[in-house]
Amino acid sequence: MNTTELKYKAEIARYLNAAADDIFLYWKGRVALYAILKAMDVHKGDEIVLPAFTCVVVPNAIKYLGANPVYIDIDAQTYNIDLTQLESKITDKTKVIICQNTFGLSSNVERIVEIAQKYKIKTIEDCTHGFGGTYKGKPNGSYCDAAFYSTQWNKPFSTGIGGFALVTDKELKTKLEKVNTNLEPSTAKDKFSLSVLYFVREKVLTDNRYWQMVKLYRWLSKHKLVQGSSSGTEIESAQMPPHYFKSISSVQIKKGIYNISALDEMLVRRKKNAETYSNYLEKKEKTFVPKNLFNDHSFLKYPFLVKERNEVMRIAEKCKVPLGEWFCSPIHPVRKQFEQWNFRECDFPVATKYSNQILNLPTDVADVTPILRFLEKIEDYLL
Ligand SMILES: *Cc1c(COP(=O)(O)O)cnc(C)c1O
């Protein structure tokens, strides 16, 4: 291992109360999940339990191994697995339970682990939103057998695209190391298009140009001129795209070391802005994130609920507010042919309802004034 890679792993490990060699780096977060599942001996026909409010790349990793995703509807307040439904979904084929710290909120993790252990099932935490945050005082990812994280451009800190796994168990680590011997190295072209992505993101993309740039970015990735975060095939089918199982590149490692250094300050800012949003929404008697969840929330984004979401998006674009629309689908961003991912919308009423109502506010902004002004404008749409 070279020294830059070791330094990056050590920086990450510091946040997780772990050792540098508990950290495994990958081209993307989803690749980390796939590697962990493989190291857990997930095979054809196995069942993997996960929340019905996730990113399609999660069930994809399961399907690529021939296993079946088994969804559980979400709890209305935490967006994680509804704990009361968990045991009813466990069968003798269940191999792994995946829980998720959605928008940065961790919940019930120790209870999910407790239930899993009762049935001798392994657990994985999807911490793609929650790196740097804590659950009941311990770093996110501490409770399950393994955790994975993303450093995609709007995750806690960014390497454009990228991800890593945390595994502390010795036996699982040995298996993961073996799985990792099959990783493809990144190519010179990969590194070049990553550099294009960094340039666009840092030199051209300011908040004022957010909407213009989102469009340009989509156009560029459609024409394969930059590294999009998901190739078209990943949201159209559950077939593994070529060159999926790829290791991290030196370009990402360098970017990671640089960007992780700003994380502490960002975590403080995110919580402070979230508090401002909560106070505002509470005063207006709208749905807000209650204070008792703040300790376990790192607020990568601040979720809120609206009616007529498309109209609200249109107003956001006009006000130049960088509004997020994560989970516009229970398996974001899939809109059709849900059966390819073993998903039926009618079985998950809470997730389906929220996927029509949820939007998220940025928490990384220096000044929330324009966002509060925007909230005032859409007051009639707020739920
Ligand atoms: C972003 C994300 C992932 C995947 O991360 P990548 O690094 O893009 O592969 C997985 N799960 C959730 C909930 C995410 O938001």
Side-chain angles (χ1 to χ4, degrees), residues 240-361:
M240 187 191 275
H243 312 295
Y244 172 84
F245 197 57
K246 199 183 284 183
S247 54
I248 197 164
S249 65
S250 54
V251 188
Q252 289 159 296
I253 291 174
K254 237 175 88 190
K255 193 53 99 184
I257 292 172
Y258 182 77
N259 281 345
I260 200 172
S261 64
L263 183 63
D264 284 334
E265 206 176 313
M266 193 52 86
L267 288 164
V268 173
R269 181 191 279 189
R270 287 195 163 119
K271 209 160 273 198
K272 184 169 154 277
N273 287 340
E275 203 171 342
T276 308
Y277 298 146
S278 265
N279 289 341
Y280 179 90
L281 292 167
E282 183 176 14
K283 208 172 73 206
K284 300 280 181 185
E285 296 178 351
K286 307 294 184 185
T287 313
F288 64 98
V289 181
K291 288 286 148 63
N292 66 322
L293 297 179
F294 267 57
N295 271 343
D296 298 330
H297 210 320
S298 51
F299 289 105
L300 179 60
K301 301 281 176 180
Y302 189 95
F304 69 110
L305 303 174
V306 299
K307 58 184 180 192
E308 296 177 52
R309 194 159 67 165
N310 290 340
E311 183 55 19
V312 173
M313 287 302 286
R314 207 185 54 76
I315 298 170
E317 186 168 352
K318 223 167 68 192
C319 297
K320 299 188 163 66
V321 169
L323 203 58
E325 48 172 352
W326 292 355
F327 308 107
C328 63
S329 145
I331 45 175
H332 185 88
V334 166
R335 302 276 199 171
K336 51 179 202 267
Q337 292 180 301
F338 286 97
E339 65 284 356
Q340 293 195 83
W341 290 275
N342 310 34
F343 191 86
R344 273 201 338 197
E345 278 187 297
C346 56
D347 294 340
F348 308 97
V350 181
T352 301
K353 180 174 142 230
Y354 277 159
S355 68
N356 288 311
Q357 300 180 335
I358 205 158
L359 286 169
N360 63 73
L361 298 169

Side-chain angles (χ1 to χ4, degrees), residues 199-255:
F199 178 81
V200 169
R201 183 74 184 137
E202 280 150 34
K203 302 286 187 286
V204 199
L205 181 55
T206 62
D207 275 353
N208 278 336
R209 293 191 187 138
Y210 175 81
W211 289 95
Q212 266 166 294
M213 291 312 302
V214 164
K215 284 176 196 156
L216 173 61
Y217 180 76
R218 283 182 190 150
W219 187 87
L220 287 169
S221 43
K222 192 171 139 208
H223 293 84
K224 301 205 164 33
L225 295 168
V226 293
Q227 289 286 350
S229 49
S230 287
S231 78
T233 59
E234 286 176 278
I235 56 175
E236 277 157 19
S237 88
Q239 300 291 319
M240 187 191 275
H243 312 295
Y244 172 84
F245 197 57
K246 199 183 284 183
S247 54
I248 197 164
S249 65
S250 54
V251 188
Q252 289 159 296
I253 291 174
K254 237 175 88 190
K255 193 53 99 184

Side-chain angles (χ1 to χ4, degrees), residues 52-331:
F53 204 60
T54 188
C55 185
V56 65
V57 300
V58 175
N60 271 345
I62 297 166
K63 299 281 289 184
Y64 296 166
L65 289 160
N68 296 316
V70 174
Y71 303 90
I72 297 190
D73 207 355
I74 51 167
D75 172 84
Q77 198 170 46
T78 65
Y79 313 113
N80 200 354
I81 290 175
D82 178 352
L83 209 58
T84 63
Q85 298 183 34
L86 178 55
E87 282 188 88
S88 69
K89 297 274 184 160
I90 293 175
T91 72
D92 54 5
K93 290 185 189 150
T94 310
K95 197 93 174 236
V96 178
I97 299 170
I98 300 175
C99 57
Q100 179 178 300
N101 45 36
T102 315
F103 299 114
L105 173 63
S106 285
S107 60
N108 290 330
V109 190
E110 83 288 24
R111 293 173 64 199
I112 292 166
V113 170
E114 214 177 274
I115 293 170
Q117 283 171 347
K118 191 166 119 191
Y119 294 93
K120 298 196 166 32
I121 296 168
K122 293 243 185 287
T123 49
I124 301 173
E125 190 168 10
D126 178 341
C127 294
T128 51
H129 298 186
F131 180 74
T134 57
Y135 178 66
K136 296 202 167 166
K138 282 209 253 174
N140 283 334
S142 302
Y143 295 81
C144 293
D145 294 302
F148 69 100
Y149 304 79
S150 171
T151 51
Q152 191 249 357
W153 67 308
N154 40 30
K155 301 296 164 90
F157 75 93
S158 166
T159 60
I161 57 177
F164 51 90
L166 166 70
V167 177
T168 51
D169 176 76
K170 229 176 159 172
E171 196 186 324
L172 189 59
K173 257 162 81 167
T174 308
K175 284 187 171 167
L176 191 58
E177 276 156 11
K178 197 162 157 242
V179 168
N180 289 347
T181 57
N182 292 316
L183 281 164
E184 265 183 46
S186 54
T187 63
K189 185 168 170 254
D190 288 332
K191 288 177 199 166
F192 173 74
S193 56
L194 266 173
S195 306
V196 173
L197 175 66
Y198 296 156
F199 178 81
V200 169
R201 183 74 184 137
E202 280 150 34
K203 302 286 187 286
V204 199
L205 181 55
T206 62
D207 275 353
N208 278 336
R209 293 191 187 138
Y210 175 81
W211 289 95
Q212 266 166 294
M213 291 312 302
V214 164
K215 284 176 196 156
L216 173 61
Y217 180 76
R218 283 182 190 150
W219 187 87
L220 287 169
S221 43
K222 192 171 139 208
H223 293 84
K224 301 205 164 33
L225 295 168
V226 293
Q227 289 286 350
S229 49
S230 287
S231 78
T233 59
E234 286 176 278
I235 56 175
E236 277 157 19
S237 88
Q239 300 291 319
M240 187 191 275
H243 312 295
Y244 172 84
F245 197 57
K246 199 183 284 183
S247 54
I248 197 164
S249 65
S250 54
V251 188
Q252 289 159 296
I253 291 174
K254 237 175 88 190
K255 193 53 99 184
I257 292 172
Y258 182 77
N259 281 345
I260 200 172
S261 64
L263 183 63
D264 284 334
E265 206 176 313
M266 193 52 86
L267 288 164
V268 173
R269 181 191 279 189
R270 287 195 163 119
K271 209 160 273 198
K272 184 169 154 277
N273 287 340
E275 203 171 342
T276 308
Y277 298 146
S278 265
N279 289 341
Y280 179 90
L281 292 167
E282 183 176 14
K283 208 172 73 206
K284 300 280 181 185
E285 296 178 351
K286 307 294 184 185
T287 313
F288 64 98
V289 181
K291 288 286 148 63
N292 66 322
L293 297 179
F294 267 57
N295 271 343
D296 298 330
H297 210 320
S298 51
F299 289 105
L300 179 60
K301 301 281 176 180
Y302 189 95
F304 69 110
L305 303 174
V306 299
K307 58 184 180 192
E308 296 177 52
R309 194 159 67 165
N310 290 340
E311 183 55 19
V312 173
M313 287 302 286
R314 207 185 54 76
I315 298 170
E317 186 168 352
K318 223 167 68 192
C319 297
K320 299 188 163 66
V321 169
L323 203 58
E325 48 172 352
W326 292 355
F327 308 107
C328 63
S329 145
I331 45 175

